[in-house]
Amino acid sequence: MSWRRGEHFRGRGRPAAEMERMKLPPRGPMELPLSVLEVGCAGRFELITRPEGPDGDTFPLSTLPHGLPPCAMDLASELERRLLASPEWLPLHRVDRAPRVWPREKDVWSLLEAAPTPMHSTLQTERDPTTGRILAFREAPLDNMGLSAKNSLSFQRAPGPPAQALRGSSTNYPFWPGGMDEPSMEQISAKGHLEEEIDFERDLLTAPPGWKKGVEFKPQAAALQASPGLLPLAGLLGALDPFQLGGSSDEEEEKGGAKAETPPAPTPAVQRADSLEELVLKEVTPEPSPPAQAGPPQPPKEQWAIPVDISSPVDDFYKRIPDPAFRWPFEPDAFQKQAILHLEQHDSVFVAAHTSAGKTVVAEYAIALAQKHMTRTIYTSPIKALSNQKFRDFKNTFGDVGLLTGDVQLHPDASCLIMTTEILRSMLYNGSDVLRDLEWVIFDEVHYINDAERGVVWEEVLIMLPEHVNIILLSATVPNTLEFADWIGRIKRKRIYVISTLRRPVPLEHHLYTGTSHKTQHELFLLLDARGAFLTKGYYAAVEAKKERSSKHAQTFGAKQPTHTGTGPGQEKGVWLSLMDALRKRDQLPVVAFTFSRARCDDNASALTTLDLTSSAEKSQIHLFFQKCVSRLKGSDRQLPQVLHMVELLKRGIGVHHSGILPILKEVVEMLFSKGLVKILFATETFAMGVNMPARTVVFDSVRKHDGSGFRDLLPGEYIQMAGRAGRRGLDTTGMVIVLCKTRVPEMADLHRMMLGKPTQLQSQFRLTYTMILNLLRVEALRVEDMMKRSFSEFHSRKDSQAHEHAIAQLSRRLAAMEEVDTSGQLSDLPEYCRAVQELRETRRLIQRRLAESASGLKALAPGRVVIVNNPAHRNALGVILQVSSDAANRTFTTLVLCEKSPEGGGTGGGSPTPEVPFPDDLLLNKLFLPEGPCGHAVEQLGPCELAALTGKTLRVNAERILEDVKKRQMPRFRSDPPGPSAVQAAQELLRLAEGGAGGLPRLDPVGALQLKELAVVEGVMRLRRLEEALPGFQCVHSSRFPQQYVRQAERLRLRAELEHLRFLLSDQSLLLLPEYQQRVEVLRALRYVDAGGAVQLAGRVACEISNHELLLTELVFDNLLTELRPEESVALLSCLVCQSKGPAEPPGPSVLRKGMERIRAVAERIALLQRECGLRESVEDFVAQYNFGLVEVVYEWARGMPFAEIARLTEVQEGIIVRCIQRLDETCRDVRNAARVIGEPTLHAKMEQASNLIKRDIVFAASLYTQ
């Protein structure tokens, strides 16, 4: 070992003259040329004091094999001594004194290298269509060679880097969704040039700005149209209209309507053409138009959902598929064969089958078919546990299967990938290259779309799937399968074949159990048999048994003993012991006992201390299996109280399964249950979600559950889903379902509705999220409005869009063919008069509707009130109200109305058969209807809008007798009888009032007389008075041409209003969520996530990386809140985003955590206030309350290394909830890590990486048993 100064090495090999030329400072005591030499290998050292040679080296250097190790002195002291003391020591231009570098060979030609340009052509093979033999090769040009994942949505773009092939990147464009018309590059480029569309017939000025007169272009336009060889400019622009998603725009349709109005005959619309020659040819030689009276044919009704008949067997199955991609050891059912036949034809299918019917067979065949085609399949499930189970099942069957969940990634290159729906959504938005060779996407448990929180994910994925991907939907039986399939077919533009099972493969028998002890364990009453017949005899027998026991209790303990609404622990134990004893005697084990409370699950299992359902051999098998499963845990985790308690229960054949159980223990319970070693399993509702583990018997601890807001009865769909776990196919002839009647027997109507009612329909849970908006805003070609249009919530209003477009074309043609309205002379104010009439009638309808909804209005509309009736059958006719309906939503008024007397004795109505032409006197209600001949009457049910006004008059009428008389005369034998005296008297009274009211009857003022102070009513009354005052001033009513021209103008206004309404239905303005979308975009603008033009900014790109609570997390990242904290503190505070359990409002912990919680609440409150300012309804309190800090201390101590056994003592939250929270927290850390990468924050990235490593340990992140 040697200590030397740096100059010894630097001066080595230099001439002595150069060393002398360098003026070095004198050496100090510590700079003497001394060397310490290690001699041999015995550890002996010698001091070398020999002066150094001319080359700067001393002798001997070393006896070590490779010489002395290099040493480096303190660079700071060397710089201070050499450079600062004598700066000339290191001249800037002396290259030989520069630090040594490795020699590099110069390669000038490498500077001229460039990446090869993409090929502009490819070779295509020509094959024999019969044999497939290659006949020749031909060169074909390739288009769009400059496409990449950063600028194109096309599959023709080049694949991305291999590291992004699986999950994609947030900077990638997604692939073009199927069902939308993908624009060509020419259309996209043309859209930029024609961004502002101009109507060349309406928007052009005839007079330049500042001029008084201009040029009239109409004659020139007519001359152009008269020339057959010239093309109108509007027609050319119509052929080159910019690409618009979601149908034609309003501007185009208005342009078409305006063009059709120009005389003479309308010019046919110019169709798109590939060349200008074709365009000219089509324009010069137009096709003959159909006759106007015939009208165009109605568009054919689109049918996207096609039901498949499965009632008859598929006898030619193996003839049609001689070499199936997969074979089972059993013969598939008819519905499975039908689904397989459609899969072979590359069709999309929706299989809605009963529980345990075998829906998985369809999924298995699709996976095998994809492997045969060398393509890929994605299997999505709603919950992670189901994904793990399917991975094990498919791995054993197919081998080439991968798994993608939030924290696990296994075999990502497999042909079949199993993942949650959220991961597939992320892959679609991020443009994953896996989608290129994807053939099938299988959606399991589609009825989960009804979930309020996560149902929107299904809709997003279905909308964003590319066109070439086929869809397989697996669901329990739901009532609206055809409706849901029709929606998917419409948005994807492909047929969906719906296959539903008719009955369960194993029928169920439903019983009521009222026993409480071994003496009464025979009290099991059949309520619903296997054929679906509801037996009231069994229900009444159960009621009698319960009543008899209550009377015996009263005789034994006295009638005045307090009656308990619930059961005590002892009674609960007695019920379960007696039931299990009865089921064991009947050989009805195993049992799944659904209990809607985690605590009651644990209590019921713990109470059965005397119950032992396993043999000694089964106990040994359970013990060995349990020890093998927990052997992967560390020592302290194996001694957790929950682990020790569970093994004691399992050895006696009792299991517990709910979200509070540790994940590894839940998997142990599931595996033992599937092996038949768990005889009774106390489980919550989640066990019935997709887990294919049927039992022989299902027991309901109660038929009421708490849904987060209150207790309610089970819905039919929930009951059927859980009861469907009873009955093992191939083992049981029937499945037994038992409802425990602990306190009382439920009502018969409730049981009937629950057992025989229809399951819940598939309903849209679509809602707008900031992640969705930002992901679509960053891609110019995709719009959020298009996503909203294609949602299931807009299906009913959008499914008739083709019919609406057809109606718009028809109305436009009718409007163009109508004669022009003559508005010359006295008729100059005719358009204004028509608009005033229309506004007056609308205002009256509004006032009458509000009148019928108010209490004071209903009081005035009591029987006997005289009203003025205006409808198509009566014009200003008096009527008297006889009866008011009680239906507040659709209130009607039974009214006796004055009319002409017909020969048959009925009323002919007050109006003439000619179209109505209202004059001011008619509109002002001054001129009341008077019959020209004998007075008649009609009793009709009128709506509020048909009552033009309420008069101040009332009549004393016998309403009941009049109504009885009308009802009697509706019978055939009394139809010719004359009206009763009460009706005739009432009609005469009305006639007397009409004759006496020459200037109209006094009317009740809604604001003054009826005290309606609502703003809309007050404004309506003021507007009505203004219109009534203006009506007498119009001059058009005095013209002799007024009636004819009014009818023409009114018809034109009606057609235009109908046209506007249809255009509104097709436009974005009719979207239900459009106001909320605009409000959310306003929030993003205020936070500077997007700019004024809608372009996504840096903060918006950061939010795209975050899957949940994107606004709060992004604000925390930009506020540097997480950067200032240590990793364990950051991850503890982030637990508020994933914690769902209630804990202490202010958990104990360091002050830095309390300050962090206050800052997070302040940021959340700031976001909530901004949302309220922008118009969103969510309250500030609700938004802030969703961030729960109950597990902050637990996560903090876990990140600091505390064992899980001690962690569990810090809180009352169950172990399984803690594990799930920490697992989801790891996903949040990954999101923040990606956000830090986007903004270039290495410190935060490193801290999140360290935080993730701190929490990923021991039992919390123990690998799933299904993946081993």
Side-chain angles (χ1 to χ4, degrees):
M1 191 171 180
S2 174
W3 289 271
R4 299 192 177 205
R5 297 310 305 163
E7 65 269 34
H8 293 178
F9 296 100
R10 286 193 298 269
R12 185 178 302 165
R14 293 197 180 108
E18 183 179 353
M19 295 295 295
E20 292 176 357
R21 184 168 51 86
M22 295 176 63
K23 296 180 180 180
L24 301 177
R27 296 179 177 178
M30 298 302 294
E31 296 180 359
L32 296 176
L34 297 178
S35 297
V36 177
L37 177 66
E38 181 181 3
V39 180
C41 299
R44 188 166 59 85
F45 296 91
E46 292 185 2
L47 185 64
I48 308 300
T49 59
R50 181 177 172 178
E52 58 188 57
D55 57 354
D57 293 336
T58 58
F59 180 87
L61 288 177
S62 174
T63 58
L64 296 178
H66 301 288
L68 292 173
C71 67
M73 65 176 296
D74 185 12
L75 293 179
S77 59
E78 182 181 1
L79 288 174
E80 181 181 356
R81 186 164 52 252
R82 300 297 183 196
L83 270 177
L84 299 180
S86 53
E88 69 277 0
W89 179 82
L90 187 63
L92 297 178
H93 304 288
R94 292 293 300 274
V95 181
D96 54 344
R97 294 180 184 170
R100 289 190 178 184
V101 296
W102 284 276
R104 182 170 62 88
E105 296 182 3
K106 296 179 181 179
D107 186 6
V108 179
W109 294 104
S110 65
L111 302 176
L112 305 178
E113 289 182 359
T117 58
M119 298 294 293
H120 291 274
S121 62
T122 185
L123 289 179
Q124 292 184 351
T125 59
E126 295 182 3
R127 296 179 180 270
D128 188 299
T130 307
T131 63
R133 187 170 63 89
I134 297 176
L135 300 178
F137 292 92
R138 61 184 178 87
E139 187 176 8
L142 293 176
D143 298 328
N144 307 328
M145 296 309 301
L147 303 183
S148 69
K150 311 301 179 185
N151 62 10
S152 172
L153 295 88
S154 173
F155 277 98
Q156 298 178 9
R157 73 193 193 194
Q164 299 177 1
L166 182 63
R167 294 186 184 252
S169 170
S170 62
T171 58
N172 286 356
Y173 277 25
F175 290 109
W176 192 264
M180 300 184 189
D181 296 326
E182 186 171 359
S184 63
M185 292 299 293
E186 291 79 8
Q187 289 171 320
I188 294 176
S189 59
K191 179 179 174 63
H193 299 300
L194 300 177
E195 196 68 32
E196 182 180 356
E197 296 188 8
I198 300 175
D199 188 338
F200 283 90
E201 295 190 2
R202 295 188 180 184
D203 295 345
L204 293 182
L205 299 176
T206 58
W211 289 34
K212 294 183 178 179
K213 288 186 64 176
V215 181
E216 184 62 43
F217 291 98
K218 284 186 178 180
Q220 296 181 13
L224 282 174
Q225 284 189 349
S227 177
L230 294 177
L231 292 175
L233 183 58
L236 280 174
L237 290 173
L240 301 174
D241 57 345
F243 175 78
Q244 292 286 344
L245 290 174
S248 60
S249 64
D250 296 350
E251 291 85 358
E252 291 171 334
E253 288 154 353
E254 290 175 4
K255 183 162 56 181
K259 183 167 60 180
E261 290 181 18
T262 58
T267 304
V270 180
Q271 302 294 324
R272 293 185 183 273
D274 295 332
S275 67
L276 192 60
E277 295 177 2
E278 296 177 14
L279 196 63
V280 172
L281 187 62
K282 290 179 181 179
E283 179 67 22
V284 173
T285 59
E287 297 181 1
S289 58
Q293 64 272 14
Q298 291 292 330
K301 185 174 178 60
E302 295 175 310
Q303 184 180 8
W304 298 106
I306 301 176
V308 178
D309 181 22
I310 63 165
S311 57
S312 56
V314 187
D315 297 326
D316 58 345
F317 178 74
Y318 293 103
K319 183 178 179 181
R320 296 169 67 178
I321 309 178
D323 183 23
F326 191 79
R327 293 182 183 271
W328 293 269
F330 54 87
E331 184 68 15
D333 292 340
F335 86 93
Q336 295 166 341
K337 289 181 178 179
Q338 288 284 5
I340 290 169
L341 287 174
H342 285 288
L343 294 187
E344 285 283 355
Q345 297 170 8
H346 304 284
D347 294 329
S348 297
V349 296
F350 184 2
V351 181
H354 291 81
T355 308
S356 303
K359 298 186 291 288
T360 309
V361 167
V362 183
E364 289 175 340
Y365 195 85
I367 296 170
L369 200 60
Q371 291 184 343
K372 180 180 178 181
H373 295 163
M374 301 181 71
T375 55
R376 306 184 85 166
T377 306
I378 287 180
Y379 184 100
T380 69
S381 67
I383 52 179
K384 179 182 172 184
L386 182 56
S387 298
N388 293 335
Q389 291 174 12
K390 291 299 181 182
F391 173 76
R392 182 196 62 174
D393 298 341
F394 292 157
K395 184 78 173 174
N396 296 335
T397 306
F398 300 103
D400 190 21
V401 178
L403 177 66
L404 290 178
T405 58
D407 55 342
V408 177
Q409 180 172 311
L410 300 175
H411 314 297
D413 297 329
S415 64
C416 174
L417 291 176
I418 299 172
M419 62 185 69
T420 55
T421 321
E422 281 82 0
I423 292 180
L424 178 56
R425 176 182 63 172
S426 173
M427 292 170 62
L428 288 168
Y429 279 133
N430 294 341
S432 168
D433 285 326
V434 172
L435 304 173
R436 292 179 179 272
D437 50 359
L438 181 63
E439 184 177 7
W440 303 100
V441 172
I442 304 167
F443 295 91
D444 199 2
E445 307 294 334
V446 173
H447 49 270
Y448 209 86
I449 198 173
N450 286 341
D451 184 76
E453 287 296 321
R454 300 172 56 205
V456 61
V457 181
W458 269 257
E459 295 191 50
E460 286 185 73
V461 169
L462 286 167
I463 295 170
M464 292 296 296
L465 278 177
E467 185 177 8
H468 71 277
V469 180
N470 292 318
I471 301 170
I472 299 175
L473 304 156
L474 307 178
S475 168
T477 52
V478 289
N480 59 335
T481 50
L482 286 175
E483 179 191 28
F484 189 76
D486 189 32
W487 165 66
I488 297 176
R490 285 181 188 277
I491 65 172
K492 309 310 291 181
R493 313 302 294 178
K494 60 175 64 177
R495 287 186 173 87
I496 309 291
Y497 291 87
V498 180
I499 301 169
S500 303
T501 55
L502 304 176
R503 62 187 64 86
R504 282 181 52 87
V506 180
L508 299 179
E509 292 181 343
H510 303 256
H511 300 76
L512 296 176
Y513 182 74
T514 59
T516 57
S517 63
H518 287 281
K519 294 181 180 180
T520 57
Q521 67 181 11
H522 64 281
E523 294 182 359
L524 189 66
F525 305 98
L526 181 62
L527 185 63
L528 191 69
D529 62 14
R531 294 171 298 175
F534 193 84
L535 308 177
T536 56
K537 180 181 177 182
Y539 177 81
Y540 289 123
V543 172
E544 286 298 322
K546 201 72 178 174
K547 189 182 299 182
E548 183 181 354
R549 187 175 305 107
S550 300
S551 62
K552 287 183 180 179
H553 183 277
Q555 291 174 4
T556 306
F557 299 101
K560 294 185 179 180
Q561 292 293 325
T563 57
H564 298 281
T565 57
T567 55
Q571 291 173 300
E572 287 265 356
K573 181 178 179 180
V575 170
W576 284 108
L577 287 176
S578 64
L579 176 64
M580 291 307 300
D581 188 48
L583 293 177
R584 181 160 52 177
K585 291 177 181 177
R586 291 169 174 251
D587 192 22
Q588 290 291 336
L589 303 181
V591 178
V592 176
F594 284 108
T595 310
F596 306 112
S597 165
R598 294 195 299 265
R600 205 155 68 241
C601 277
D602 296 332
D603 295 342
N604 289 341
S606 302
L608 303 180
T609 54
T610 59
L611 186 64
D612 192 347
L613 302 171
T614 56
S615 63
S616 57
E618 290 174 332
K619 283 183 171 61
S620 174
Q621 192 175 352
I622 292 170
H623 176 77
L624 292 175
F625 181 79
F626 191 90
Q627 294 304 320
K628 179 182 177 182
C629 292
V630 300
S631 62
R632 66 189 65 206
L633 302 178
K634 60 184 290 188
S636 61
D637 290 340
R638 295 180 204 168
Q639 302 301 317
L640 288 172
Q642 193 178 92
V643 175
L644 299 177
H645 181 59
M646 185 64 72
V647 69
E648 190 271 331
L649 290 175
L650 289 173
K651 286 180 181 179
R652 293 188 284 115
I654 304 172
V656 181
H657 188 285
H658 56 73
S659 59
I661 302 296
L662 291 167
I664 191 170
L665 293 185
K666 283 201 294 186
E667 293 178 349
V668 169
V669 171
E670 292 165 2
M671 291 180 174
L672 290 176
F673 185 83
S674 62
K675 293 179 179 180
L677 297 175
V678 172
K679 309 300 181 181
I680 176 169
L681 177 64
F682 292 95
T684 52
E685 189 177 357
T686 53
F687 184 77
M689 177 55 71
V691 182
N692 186 20
M693 293 184 182
R696 186 153 195 179
T697 305
V698 164
V699 177
F700 285 90
D701 179 75
S702 172
V703 292
R704 292 178 64 80
K705 62 175 283 190
H706 194 278
D707 59 0
S709 57
F711 283 96
R712 61 167 175 82
D713 292 334
L714 290 178
L715 299 175
E718 296 169 337
Y719 179 83
I720 293 169
Q721 179 80 11
M722 288 180 275
R725 295 299 159 197
R728 300 164 298 179
R729 189 170 185 178
L731 297 176
D732 305 326
T733 56
T734 60
M736 176 179 280
V737 182
I738 300 174
V739 176
L740 298 186
C741 305
K742 296 179 182 177
T743 55
R744 64 178 183 85
V745 181
E747 295 293 332
M748 184 192 296
D750 296 338
L751 292 172
H752 189 277
R753 182 176 58 253
M754 184 178 65
M755 295 178 179
L756 295 176
K758 286 186 177 182
T760 308
Q761 290 190 345
L762 296 178
Q763 296 175 341
S764 175
Q765 302 295 333
F766 186 84
R767 69 180 193 279
L768 291 171
T769 61
Y770 292 109
T771 302
M772 178 202 306
I773 294 172
L774 290 169
N775 273 305
L776 293 175
L777 283 179
R778 67 185 178 88
V779 183
E780 185 179 358
L782 294 178
R783 303 187 311 148
V784 183
E785 290 90 340
D786 297 312
M787 180 76 82
M788 291 189 284
K789 280 181 184 177
R790 286 161 175 79
S791 68
F792 191 36
S793 59
E794 295 284 346
F795 167 66
H796 297 288
S797 58
R798 295 282 164 176
K799 66 179 179 180
D800 298 326
S801 57
Q802 188 177 11
H804 292 337
E805 291 173 359
H806 183 77
I808 286 174
Q810 277 188 316
L811 290 173
S812 300
R813 282 192 290 269
R814 286 179 57 189
L815 201 57
M818 288 183 65
E819 296 182 24
E820 290 289 339
V821 180
D822 184 9
T823 57
S824 60
Q826 280 186 312
L827 296 175
S828 59
D829 57 356
L830 177 61
E832 290 79 8
Y833 181 78
C834 289
R835 283 191 287 270
V837 170
Q838 188 176 3
E839 186 178 0
L840 182 137
R841 287 174 170 171
E842 288 295 328
T843 304
R844 277 189 180 148
R845 291 192 193 102
L846 168 69
I847 293 174
Q848 294 305 120
R849 279 198 302 268
R850 298 299 174 91
L851 203 62
E853 294 170 359
S854 66
S856 57
L858 283 177
K859 187 176 180 181
L861 287 166
R865 173 67 61 185
V866 176
V867 294
I868 301 175
V869 179
N870 248 329
N871 61 15
H874 305 280
R875 186 189 304 175
N876 289 357
L878 288 182
V880 59
I881 296 177
L882 304 177
Q883 191 180 55
V884 182
S885 69
S886 58
D887 185 8
N890 301 300
R891 198 176 299 280
T892 59
F893 303 89
T894 306
T895 310
L896 185 145
V897 187
L898 194 66
C899 63
E900 298 280 0
K901 186 174 183 180
S902 65
E904 293 81 6
T908 63
S912 60
T914 58
E916 179 189 4
V917 179
F919 286 87
D921 285 343
D922 298 327
L923 295 169
L924 296 174
L925 306 179
N926 296 332
K927 185 178 179 182
L928 299 177
F929 164 74
L930 286 173
E932 297 178 0
C935 175
H937 68 271
V939 178
E940 301 178 2
Q941 285 192 342
L942 305 177
C945 297
E946 296 176 281
L947 306 180
L950 277 68
T951 69
K953 303 290 185 178
T954 57
L955 297 180
R956 300 183 65 179
V957 293
N958 194 335
E960 293 182 3
R961 185 167 296 178
I962 295 175
L963 293 174
E964 289 176 2
D965 178 61
V966 170
K967 186 176 180 181
K968 173 186 172 184
R969 287 193 296 125
Q970 288 176 349
M971 301 170 65
R973 37 186 285 199
F974 301 111
R975 191 165 292 167
S976 59
D977 288 3
S982 299
V984 173
Q985 182 183 357
Q988 291 298 327
E989 287 292 328
L990 290 176
L991 179 62
R992 182 181 59 80
L993 288 174
E995 290 173 343
L1001 294 177
R1003 289 171 279 164
L1004 292 180
D1005 182 14
V1007 177
L1010 301 180
Q1011 297 297 312
L1012 288 183
K1013 303 300 183 183
E1014 191 178 350
L1015 180 62
V1017 177
V1018 174
E1019 290 179 348
V1021 170
M1022 294 174 63
R1023 185 165 60 249
L1024 188 63
R1025 288 174 183 167
R1026 187 178 68 251
L1027 291 169
E1028 288 177 346
E1029 292 171 0
L1031 280 180
F1034 285 97
Q1035 298 299 318
C1036 58
V1037 295
H1038 304 299
S1039 173
S1040 59
R1041 296 170 295 160
F1042 171 71
Q1044 178 187 4
Q1045 298 302 321
Y1046 177 85
V1047 170
R1048 192 176 295 174
Q1049 178 71 16
E1051 178 66 11
R1052 182 179 288 273
L1053 288 178
R1054 187 188 67 80
L1055 291 180
R1056 282 182 177 170
E1058 191 174 348
L1059 200 59
E1060 289 297 324
H1061 177 66
L1062 291 175
R1063 285 173 176 166
F1064 171 76
L1065 292 178
L1066 290 178
S1067 69
D1068 295 341
Q1069 302 304 316
S1070 64
L1071 295 172
L1072 298 175
L1073 293 176
L1074 186 66
E1076 183 187 347
Y1077 165 60
Q1078 295 167 344
Q1079 292 160 359
R1080 289 189 181 274
V1081 170
E1082 196 61 35
V1083 172
L1084 294 175
R1085 284 201 189 101
L1087 293 173
R1088 298 185 180 179
Y1089 287 29
V1090 297
D1091 62 10
V1096 179
Q1097 303 300 299
L1098 177 62
R1101 290 199 291 116
V1102 169
C1104 287
E1105 298 284 348
I1106 300 169
S1107 54
N1108 291 305
H1109 306 289
E1110 52 276 2
L1111 291 190
L1112 181 71
L1113 260 182
T1114 305
E1115 292 300 303
L1116 295 180
V1117 168
F1118 278 94
D1119 287 351
N1120 287 329
L1121 173 64
L1122 303 175
T1123 311
E1124 301 167 356
L1125 302 174
R1126 297 200 302 270
E1128 58 270 21
E1129 296 167 348
S1130 298
V1131 76
L1133 290 176
L1134 288 177
S1135 67
C1136 71
L1137 305 176
V1138 295
C1139 176
Q1140 297 177 342
S1141 60
K1142 300 297 182 184
E1146 289 292 338
S1151 59
V1152 65
L1153 290 182
R1154 289 195 290 272
K1155 291 179 181 177
M1157 287 186 274
E1158 293 174 2
R1159 290 183 61 182
I1160 290 176
R1161 288 195 184 101
V1163 173
E1165 187 173 349
R1166 174 164 57 87
I1167 296 173
L1169 287 171
L1170 179 60
Q1171 289 188 148
R1172 293 289 293 179
E1173 291 173 5
C1174 294
L1176 292 172
R1177 299 184 198 171
E1178 187 175 13
S1179 67
V1180 177
E1181 294 77 13
D1182 292 342
F1183 186 84
V1184 176
Q1186 66 180 319
Y1187 303 110
N1188 189 351
F1189 297 93
L1191 290 180
V1192 167
E1193 183 190 12
V1194 171
V1195 176
Y1196 178 69
E1197 296 298 339
W1198 174 254
R1200 295 180 65 194
M1202 182 179 287
F1204 193 83
E1206 298 180 26
I1207 288 292
R1209 299 193 197 105
L1210 295 176
T1211 178
E1212 296 180 357
V1213 179
Q1214 292 178 310
E1215 292 88 335
I1217 306 292
I1218 297 174
V1219 169
R1220 179 63 185 138
C1221 171
I1222 299 177
Q1223 287 176 345
R1224 293 181 59 195
L1225 199 52
D1226 180 56
E1227 302 174 27
T1228 305
C1229 290
R1230 185 172 63 245
D1231 289 345
V1232 178
R1233 199 163 61 237
N1234 293 336
R1237 175 181 49 78
V1238 170
I1239 63 175
E1241 180 60 71
T1243 305
L1244 181 60
H1245 188 282
K1247 285 188 176 182
M1248 287 297 106
E1249 184 76 32
Q1250 186 179 354
S1252 180
N1253 295 331
L1254 288 175
I1255 62 176
K1256 289 173 69 173
R1257 60 181 176 88
D1258 301 346
I1259 194 171
V1260 174
F1261 283 86
S1264 170
L1265 299 177
Y1266 292 112
T1267 61
Q1268 303 304 309

